[in-house]
Structures are given as structure tokens and as C-alpha cells.
Amino acid sequence: MTQHPESESLAELNAEAERLREQIRHHNYRYYVLDDPEITDAEYDVLMRRLEALESRHPELRTPDSPTQRVGAAPSEKFGIVTHRKPMLSLANAMSAEEMREFDARIKRMLRSDADLEYVAEVKLDGLAVELVYEHGRLTVGSTRGDGINGEDVTANIRTIKSVPLTLIRQPHRRMPALLEVRGEVILPRRAFERLNEERVKNGEAPFANPRNAAAGSLRQLDPKVTAARPLEIFCHTPGAMEGIEFTSQWEFLEGIKAFGLRVNPRSKVCHGVDAVLDYWNRLTEERHALDYEADGVVAKINSFALQERLGEVSRSPRWAIAYKFKAQQAETVVEEIVVYVGRIGSLTPVAHLRPVQLAGVTISNASLHNLDEIRRKDVRVGDTVLIERAGDVIPYVVRVTKKGHPRAPEFQMPARCPVCNSRIVHEEGEAAYLCVNVNCPARMRESIRHFASKQALDIDGLGDKLVGQLVEREMIRELDDIYKLKLQDLEALERMGAKSAQNVLASIQRSRKTTLDRVLNGLGIRHVGEATARALAQRFKTLDAVADASEDELQSVRDVGHEVARSIREFFDEPRNRKMVARLAKVLDIAPVEEAATASWPGAGKSFVLTGTLDAMSREEAENAILAAGGRVTSSVSRKTDFVVAGADPGSKLRKAAELGVRTLSEAEFLSMLPRRST
Ligand code: IVH
């Protein structure tokens, strides 16, 4: 570490910064591309922090390709256009082994050869096609495929993807190529997709239909910071234009770009003859569900570039490659009813109740219809036979109508009144959502209370789904503040509720009265206001009344709050019923003014942590103190109430327990990066 920067010349500091950059790049490559790190996360953190410190003291030393610069570019108004030097082609499909053999035979005919052809078989990734342009080893442009000729310039966003090297690794005794273009697939791993959707639903936003859409949506964000927060990954698979470098085959290309530090899929394989490709497909068909990303088939490519050239292309697809798609997990069945469900924020979701059918080993009796626009587009009606499909583990959806009912049922209509409480339904022009206006709608109420009582909000232990259902059904809770009017005898009178559990529930309700403004704001279930926005609002306005009285303009002065969010907050407080309920709630709660900025903004504030295994960077005691100092809690055993399990080296059974209970686990690096940083 540089102890006395003022005594060192800028040249020396520059050399130090460059050395750190080289080291960090190397370790990024080991970690993100090879998945085989050489140093601990804590050691990596030290390097990164040194570089950050150096660059912030001497901004003139900062380079655009520094690992510290992955996020930082200003949001763009609109994406520019990139014309690909070589068109980005698409692939012809084969639907059966028969068609694969025909493809193989066709090539042999064209090449006038009987010998087995050499293929490279690859996973066909279901992501978003992109092109990376490296000029003299530096990433200069990242673009989407677009129409194959022109794509969108998403360089700033692509730079936030950790497995995309900003500079290529120098090869011994070789010059950096003047130009190396590689094409690849940007994907969002399944788990990250599920987490992202949970978050979106919690914030009242529409979930993405599948990981592919989520990846595309994430990459096409105008603000690179949003992209950076999504754990996108890349696999590179195809060459574009090149200058100053040559490869003779697809396999050599894959090996070559791997050496440059680009990430390639480890499952690619050289196959001699079409039968070997079919074997590869059979194996992958069985293993695809174990992959942590979506794949929709196998791509077979003639290995030799000389042969590829001879074969050429036809109608925008190469003759030398083909995609052999997996069989879709589809089934046909009849729509028995279209039912509308009401969610927490009052959004109406149409769901098709189906005649039960087996699909990939599971009985399916419901399928999502997403929204009214989707129903209209597909013209789905009761009595119709429909094709349903399961993409990965996501709930099945209706692909299309395969046979119309006879006689045909009338078109489905969204109800004008809420199916549960009969209140008015509102729908804004141009928006897909239909919303029940009644905050006290029992269906909404159930979801609202569940949300209000959740760990991130008022944290009322014991107020689970069943109990909430009973309380709402018996009209013991009609509005949020009714929770605080519950009496012991009310609870004891419920089915399956012993005296002891009734007391426990009541005790946690009482405990929850002492709370903080951000928790209350999150708990109200205002559309678009999740944990982070609630925290930002609490910090800015300090009291519930101040938030409730703020104008749209004032609200928009808060980080994270744009026009839409501000409008939704205003709409909430402008509804007299909500306003009265909030006033009553304010009377029964003891709402602390916002927590100190340093800890309030820490995602671990108020959360409970369990430590397991040994940490590299600090002792158990130091870690506990760090959590406590930042406003978190430490407990010794894992339960459903635990928010985070920090797993060091050789973690014990607590890690397994966490996985069983669905408690979020943090690696040491994640934990360290989560701790509030002390200013240097
Ligand atoms: S090769 C000319 N390899 O599938 C070669 N494509 O229509 C074209 N894809 O847009 C691409 N995994 O983005 C190739 N291993 C793989 C692939 C792959 C996914 C995508 C690609 C393309 C689409 C084909």
C-alpha cells in the first residue's frame, strides 16, 4: 500500500495502479471465467480497494478500462445504432433426429464426401445474442444483434457484466489482434431470475415471463447501474470480423478466445459424425434441468472454417450449422374456467383453470394468462383446447388455442367490479394492469396483511398465512390498524389456536408497535414502493405525515423516485380511506424517526445474522462486532427468522439448515461488500 503518496512521483503511482489493474483483471478471469479463483475474496477486495483509493486520490490515473470503471457511464437517452461489420446470422432448426441426419447428408453431398464429418456440438443458450468488439485488446463496443445488420449500442451495459473482460489477456510472444469480434449469448441464471421476479412482485411490478426476457430487459436498461445490479453472465460462441489473428476451426477459435480471457461454455465438444451429435443431444436433454441457465437445444457446427467457407450460407443462415431444439414441454388440455385473482396491490390476474393434465411428470391444473392483452391476442376462451408449455421451472402458460370450443364461449371480459369485494376496478389507458380500488378488499387485505407483517416490514412473528386468512374471513381485520385491536380472547376463539400461541402472537404484535418509518412505509404496500424506496423516503421526509403531504415534485426529489413512483405514492395518500387508516395506524405505532443514515442505508440494519465456518478477513468476534456496530443482530442458530447466514470456509450444518429454510446465504465476499464502508 502506498503510505506517503505525496512523496511518490505520479509515474510511480501510475505504475502501481497499472500493476493493481493487471492483478485484478487476472483474478477476475480466474473467478468469473474459469471459476477457479487463486486468492480469497477478501484478498481480492483488498486489491480492489487499493485501486479505488489510488484512483480517487488521483483521478488523472483512472483509465476507461480500469476494473473500477464497470459502472459509471452516465445513463443514455436512447441507444445508438451499431452496424455489424459482418451480419449476425441466425440458425436453421432441426426438429428431429431424422432432420439432423438429412442435414448431415446434405453437407456430405455438397462436399462430395462420404467420410464422417467433424462437428462441434454446443449448448444452445436461451439468452440474448450480443457482439463484443475488441480493438487492440480493448473492449470498444458491445451491441445487441438487432436485425442482424444493425444492433443497439449497449456498451455501457455490457461493461457491467463481470464475465466480459474489458481488456483481453496478452498472449506470450503474440501481438494483440488489431480487431477481434466475438458473438455470444448474455444470460441471466435461473436462480437470479427467480430472485429478481420475487423482488418485482414485492414491489408491485410485473414479473418477467422467463429468464431470456429478463436478460434482454436488463441489458436494454437506459441506466447501466440497473444493469449492473442484475447478475448477467456471458458465454461466447462465434467469431465476427477479425484482423491480425486467424483461426482454422471452431474448436481452435473457442480455445483461442478462452486464452484471451473470454468465457466459453465448458460443455462444448468435438463430435465425429452425426451420431455423436445425436448422443450429445440425448445427454443434454436429460441434463438440461440441472444447468443453472436455460438452454433450448444443441447447436451443431462444422468444425473446419475452410469447409464452413465452402458451404456458405443461404437466406441469412449458414449451411454449416444447425440448431436441434429440445422437445418443448407442452401438453394440450381444455380451459374449464378463467378466474381472476386479486393480489396485494389489488392487481387482477387472470388464470386459466384447466382440465388436469400431466406435463413433464407434474399434474398441471392452472396456467397463467398474464393479462387481458395476452388473452385477447391469443383469443383464449372457456371451453377451448389450448397448448400449454412449461419453460424451465416457471409456471406453465398458455401458448395458443389449438381447437376452439363448440359452441364458442363469449370473449373473456375483465370484471368491472372486484370479484371479491365488488369495488370499482380501474384501468389506465395503455397499461396492462387492472386494479381494485378498495384497499380493504378482503383478497387484497389478506395479501396486504401478510406483507405488512413480513420481516422486512413490521416483522410480526406468528401472523402467518393461515391465521391471516381466518382473521380476514371472520372480518376481525378489515384494515391494517385492526391488527392492533386484536384481543387475547378473539385469537383464542379461532380454530386450532391454543392459549399459548395466542399469547405469543399478541406479544409479537405488541412488540411490532415500536418501529421505524421505513418499515411502515414499506409495510403499507404502496405500489412501486419496496424496501429501498421506503428507506430513501424515510431519510428524506422523516415523518409519516411529511410523506403523506409531499407533492409529486417533492417526492421526485428523492433518489429512486421517478414520475411513476411519485404518482403512485400520491394516489395512495389521496384516497381518503387510506389517509384515515394511516392516521389511525400512526396513533397506535411508536414510529422512530429515521435511523442514522449510515446504518439505515445498510441492507443488514435490523436484520439477524448467523455466522458459520471461518472467515478469512476477520475473526468471528470481529465479524459479530461489525454486524452489531452497523445495526444488525447476531444469533447462534438458524431459524425462519434468520435473515442471513454468512458462510465462511468449512461451514457447518447451519448452511444446510439455511438452504432447507430458504434463508439467504452470503459468501464472505458478499458479506464484506455488504458491510458499511468506513470512509477512508
Ligand atoms: S451460432 C451463424 N452458437 O441462437 C451462427 N448461436 O438463431 C449463429 N445461440 O442468434 C450463431 N447459443 O444468439 C450459436 N452455441 C451457440 C448458440 C447460439 C445460442 C443463439 C444465437 C443466435 C440464435 C440462432
Side-chain angles (χ1 to χ4, degrees):
M1 178 70 139
T2 314
Q3 295 297 338
H4 303 289
E6 50 289 340
S7 66
E8 275 177 274
S9 74
L10 211 54
E12 279 170 295
L13 291 174
N14 194 16
E16 154 112 22
E18 198 39 52
R19 198 166 50 76
L20 284 168
R21 278 181 210 124
E22 269 310 315
Q23 283 178 310
I24 293 170
R25 271 176 211 135
H26 170 74
H27 294 302
N28 276 348
Y29 170 67
R30 300 287 316 188
Y31 186 93
Y32 292 109
V33 180
L34 300 185
D35 206 10
D36 181 21
E38 290 172 340
I39 58 172
T40 64
D41 295 338
E43 285 165 333
Y44 175 87
D45 240 39
V46 170
L47 295 177
M48 197 65 176
R49 286 185 195 189
R50 266 192 211 164
L51 181 61
E52 278 168 0
L54 200 62
E55 289 182 345
S56 76
R57 274 202 309 272
H58 297 279
E60 67 277 22
L61 296 182
R62 202 173 272 153
T63 59
D65 60 358
S66 172
T68 58
Q69 300 303 297
R70 284 197 182 259
V71 196
S76 47
E77 280 304 305
K78 204 164 100 228
F79 300 113
I81 287 178
V82 172
T83 303
H84 304 297
R85 285 182 179 82
K86 280 178 153 190
M88 287 177 77
L89 303 178
S90 59
L91 292 169
N93 289 328
M95 298 315 235
S96 62
E98 209 36 55
E99 288 183 19
M100 282 300 284
R101 289 186 199 285
E102 281 167 23
F103 164 78
D104 182 68
R106 191 159 60 238
I107 295 183
K108 283 180 178 156
R109 265 199 314 279
M110 290 180 69
L111 297 176
R112 295 181 219 294
S113 156
D114 265 346
D116 270 353
L117 293 166
E118 191 171 275
Y119 292 101
V120 174
E122 298 176 8
V123 178
K124 184 166 190 300
L125 301 147
D126 196 9
L128 189 75
V130 296
E131 176 170 79
L132 310 177
V133 180
Y134 288 90
E135 289 173 86
H136 301 284
R138 280 170 193 250
L139 176 68
T140 50
V141 176
S143 58
T144 61
R145 176 175 183 273
D147 60 6
I149 307 291
N150 294 309
E152 283 171 317
D153 183 346
V154 285
T155 312
N157 293 345
I158 294 236
R159 291 169 65 92
T160 69
I161 302 173
K162 301 282 193 3
S163 44
V164 171
L166 302 181
T167 51
L168 298 178
I169 296 174
R170 202 166 277 287
Q171 311 284 297
H173 319 299
R174 277 177 92 173
R175 268 174 171 273
M176 265 299 175
L179 176 70
L180 174 63
E181 288 183 354
V182 292
R183 279 94 188 253
E185 217 70 13
V186 168
I187 54 155
L188 187 68
R190 255 179 243 194
R191 284 191 45 160
F193 162 73
E194 280 154 21
R195 217 175 292 144
L196 176 63
N197 266 357
E198 278 167 24
E199 189 69 17
R200 288 177 70 87
V201 169
K202 238 169 68 187
N203 290 343
E205 295 164 311
F208 288 112
N210 54 48
R212 206 201 95 83
N213 289 4
S218 303
L219 198 62
R220 298 185 67 261
Q221 286 289 333
L222 288 180
D223 184 352
K225 288 204 176 67
V226 177
T227 311
R230 311 260 170 95
L232 295 169
E233 294 182 11
I234 196 167
F235 283 113
C236 302
H237 53 60
T238 309
M242 284 184 266
E243 283 166 30
I245 188 157
E246 258 180 75
F247 298 104
T248 63
S249 69
Q250 172 68 6
W251 190 254
E252 194 186 298
F253 166 77
L254 291 176
E255 290 285 309
I257 62 170
K258 194 158 93 184
F260 276 126
L262 290 156
R263 187 156 181 251
V264 297
N265 193 299
R267 286 179 178 255
S268 302
K269 192 168 177 275
V270 175
C271 291
H272 299 278
V274 70
D275 285 331
V277 175
L278 296 176
D279 284 346
Y280 181 91
W281 185 90
N282 283 327
R283 204 162 334 116
L284 203 61
T285 294
E286 294 192 348
E287 292 169 6
R288 59 187 281 216
H289 300 295
L291 300 174
D292 52 13
Y293 47 81
E294 298 268 339
D296 58 351
V298 164
V299 183
K301 302 172 179 174
I302 290 288
N303 192 16
S304 153
F305 282 169
L307 292 186
Q308 286 188 6
E309 198 138 321
R310 267 177 65 192
L311 292 161
E313 64 195 61
V314 56
S315 61
R316 303 241 138 263
S317 304
R319 282 203 190 85
W320 44 265
I322 195 152
Y324 183 10
K325 295 278 196 85
F326 294 132
K327 303 264 179 288
Q329 300 190 329
Q330 293 182 329
E332 271 185 321
T333 185
V334 175
V335 177
E336 294 188 326
E337 200 180 356
I338 297 178
V339 177
V340 172
Y341 283 90
V342 187
R344 164 166 71 82
I345 52 156
S347 53
L348 270 50
T349 309
V351 171
H353 281 192
L354 308 167
R355 181 175 301 162
V357 62
Q358 286 292 116
L359 180 53
V362 195
T363 309
I364 305 289
S365 41
N366 290 321
S368 172
L369 289 163
H370 301 300
N371 54 50
L372 188 62
D373 293 348
E374 284 279 304
I375 299 183
R376 287 280 178 274
R377 204 164 52 74
K378 294 173 182 163
D379 193 18
V380 183
R381 305 188 191 187
V382 173
D384 288 356
T385 302
V386 290
L387 186 68
I388 58 164
E389 179 169 323
R390 246 165 52 116
D393 296 320
V394 191
I395 32 161
Y397 69 100
V398 173
V399 182
R400 62 168 185 277
V401 173
T402 51
K403 199 166 133 249
K404 292 179 181 166
H406 186 73
R408 195 99 199 274
E411 259 194 345
F412 169 80
Q413 302 292 343
M414 270 298 198
R417 302 218 149 241
C418 173
V420 180
C421 73
N422 206 34
S423 294
R424 208 159 41 86
I425 298 297
V426 292
H427 171 233
E428 283 192 26
E429 205 55 46
E431 277 193 32
Y434 282 72
L435 301 167
C436 165
V437 288
N438 178 10
V439 260
N440 302 317
C441 168
R444 256 182 99 162
M445 205 59 232
R446 259 194 316 270
E447 294 302 312
S448 303
I449 294 172
R450 246 185 263 173
H451 175 73
F452 186 79
S454 70
K455 266 196 285 200
Q456 298 77 17
L458 275 282
D459 195 11
I460 309 178
D461 201 21
L463 206 54
D465 289 2
K466 282 223 182 69
L467 180 55
V468 171
Q470 283 181 309
L471 291 168
V472 173
E473 204 172 302
R474 294 170 176 234
E475 304 198 356
M476 291 161 78
I477 299 183
R478 290 205 193 97
E479 307 203 42
L480 288 179
D481 63 298
D482 288 339
I483 295 175
Y484 296 97
K485 295 181 191 152
L486 289 171
K487 299 204 169 48
L488 198 58
Q489 49 285 29
D490 297 339
L491 290 170
E492 279 175 352
L494 297 172
E495 285 161 48
R496 282 189 292 275
M497 175 67 87
K500 184 79 189 132
S501 3
Q503 272 168 17
N504 286 343
V505 173
L506 215 57
S508 26
I509 293 176
Q510 292 310 329
R511 252 198 319 274
S512 74
R513 286 179 191 254
K514 202 169 157 44
T515 186
T516 52
L517 181 57
D518 53 330
R519 285 176 175 275
V520 177
L521 286 170
N522 179 20
L524 291 176
I526 305 169
R527 194 164 179 228
H528 301 307
V529 178
E531 252 179 291
T533 308
R535 217 176 294 127
L537 288 167
Q539 274 164 12
R540 162 78 169 73
F541 293 103
K542 316 283 195 239
T543 68
L544 194 50
D545 275 340
V547 181
D549 290 335
S551 68
E552 270 192 40
D553 281 348
E554 284 166 333
L555 289 166
Q556 284 197 50
S557 69
V558 174
R559 168 174 52 89
D560 286 356
V561 177
H563 171 64
E564 203 181 345
V565 182
R567 200 182 55 186
S568 146
I569 298 171
R570 272 284 23 108
E571 271 173 7
F572 180 88
F573 288 108
D574 284 344
E575 172 75 35
R577 217 137 92 180
N578 291 346
R579 194 57 188 260
K580 281 188 202 141
M581 184 273 290
V582 167
R584 287 194 307 270
L585 203 53
K587 278 207 194 108
V588 293
L589 295 178
D590 173 10
I591 307 176
V594 225
E595 295 163 66
E596 280 304 299
T599 53
S601 62
W602 184 51
K607 300 281 164 75
S608 77
F609 287 76
V610 172
L611 298 159
T612 176
T614 36
L615 300 180
D616 271 317
M618 51 177 81
S619 70
R620 177 72 67 98
E621 204 184 340
E622 283 169 332
E624 290 185 3
N625 287 338
I627 294 169
L628 295 175
R633 287 174 285 136
V634 183
T635 54
S636 56
S637 63
V638 182
S639 74
R640 272 180 214 286
K641 288 219 69 184
T642 310
D643 294 291
F644 298 105
V645 169
V646 181
D650 301 322
S653 60
K654 291 176 192 170
L655 189 59
R656 205 171 46 243
K657 183 90 187 282
E660 276 167 25
L661 295 178
V663 173
R664 170 106 189 264
T665 57
L666 299 172
S667 67
E668 178 170 355
E670 284 171 319
F671 170 63
L672 290 177
S673 65
M674 187 178 168
L675 282 176
R677 289 185 184 198
R678 291 194 187 85
S679 44
T680 36

